Amino acid sequence: RKEVEQDPGPFNVPEGATVAFNCTYSNSASQSFFWYRQDCRKEPKLLMSVYSSGNEDGRFTAQLNRASQYISLLIRDSKLSDSATYLCVVGAGTPLVFGKGTRLSVIA
Amino acid sequence: GAGVSQSPRYKVAKRGQDVALRCDPISGHVSLFWYQQALGQGPEFLTYFQNEAQLDKSGLPSDRFFAERPEGSVSTLKIQRTQQEDSAVYLCASSLGTSGGALYEQYFGPGTRLTVT
């Protein structure tokens, strides 16, 4: 079983839609959780950290479920500019482990 | 302030050549990480420095790969006798520290795209 697993997609959604990604992790000792966004041929950029209580940043909401060992990312009111690959990242100390990413295409 | 910078951005090497990839982290960031990213994959950890100390090199794929950070700031990843399977994007990231939370958030450079012919 891979340490961090994500559905590779692609998720093709219309503008304005709500879309959710899940990610599962295998190391129960994991303490750090992040979502990164990566545009084609660019470096990953930190989207948000994921806290135990869940957190929201504008149209983006992240949740952590330690019991089931998954994290989620919800994007509301999708914009064309949200089209990218979303990387789930988990760490139990160093190093961080990256998932392969979920590709999102928002269509006009 | 300035982000993480990497050079060169693109490198084409003939099989068997040695290459050196440079990373300049964000000023004041204690931790520095190297990753390898193949097409369609997430970044794979190679090695990690805290200041000048290389604390983890478990991800280096072979003894042809060597990394250093002699003064605790700029780092160099060297690949000796390059092979075609070394073709990938090499990403460098830095973070303030490793104690968790915001200290642990990693910021990436633009990467070096290495093509071995």
Side-chain angles (χ1 to χ4, degrees), chain A residues 36 38 43 49 93 96 100, chain B residues 37 41 45 104-106 109:
Chain A
Y36 277 73
Q38 187 169 27
E43 73 272 23
S49 303
L96 296 180
K100 291 186 178 183
Chain B
Q37 188 172 26
Q41 305 292 315
F45 170 79
Y104 201 33
E105 294 171 350
Q106 295 184 17

Side-chain angles (χ1 to χ4, degrees), chain A residues 34-83:
Chain A
F34 307 92
W35 284 101
Y36 277 73
R37 169 198 169 122
Q38 187 169 27
D39 292 286
C40 189
R41 301 179 76 88
K42 299 282 191 183
E43 73 272 23
K45 289 193 190 310
L46 179 65
L47 181 65
M48 58 199 305
S49 303
V50 186
Y51 304 119
S52 296
S53 54
N55 46 305
E56 187 173 310
D57 183 1
R59 298 182 293 108
F60 299 84
T61 301
Q63 296 279 351
L64 166 64
N65 185 317
R66 286 188 187 272
S68 300
Q69 294 183 203
Y70 79 82
I71 67 174
S72 64
L73 178 68
L74 181 80
I75 306 175
R76 289 182 298 278
D77 187 24
S78 300
K79 312 288 184 196
L80 293 174
S81 57
D82 294 334
S83 297

Side-chain angles (χ1 to χ4, degrees), chain B residues 26-106:
Chain B
I26 294 171
S27 178
H29 276 199
V30 167
S31 299
L32 185 147
F33 305 82
W34 284 99
Y35 294 87
Q36 181 189 62
Q37 188 172 26
L39 195 62
Q41 305 292 315
E44 296 275 348
F45 170 79
L46 293 176
T47 187
Y48 148 61
F49 291 85
Q50 190 165 322
N51 296 305
E52 69 279 2
Q54 188 174 20
L55 297 188
D56 188 342
K57 54 182 181 179
S58 61
L60 295 175
S62 78
D63 59 7
R64 297 186 295 104
F65 286 70
F66 171 76
E68 59 183 6
R69 193 186 186 198
E71 296 175 2
S73 55
V74 170
S75 177
T76 304
L77 176 67
K78 297 179 180 176
I79 309 173
Q80 297 176 323
R81 304 181 303 282
T82 51
Q83 304 293 316
Q84 282 194 311
E85 61 263 28
D86 300 335
S87 296
V89 176
Y90 290 84
L91 293 162
C92 175
S94 69
S95 70
L96 275 172
T98 57
S99 299
L103 288 178
Y104 201 33
E105 294 171 350
Q106 295 184 17

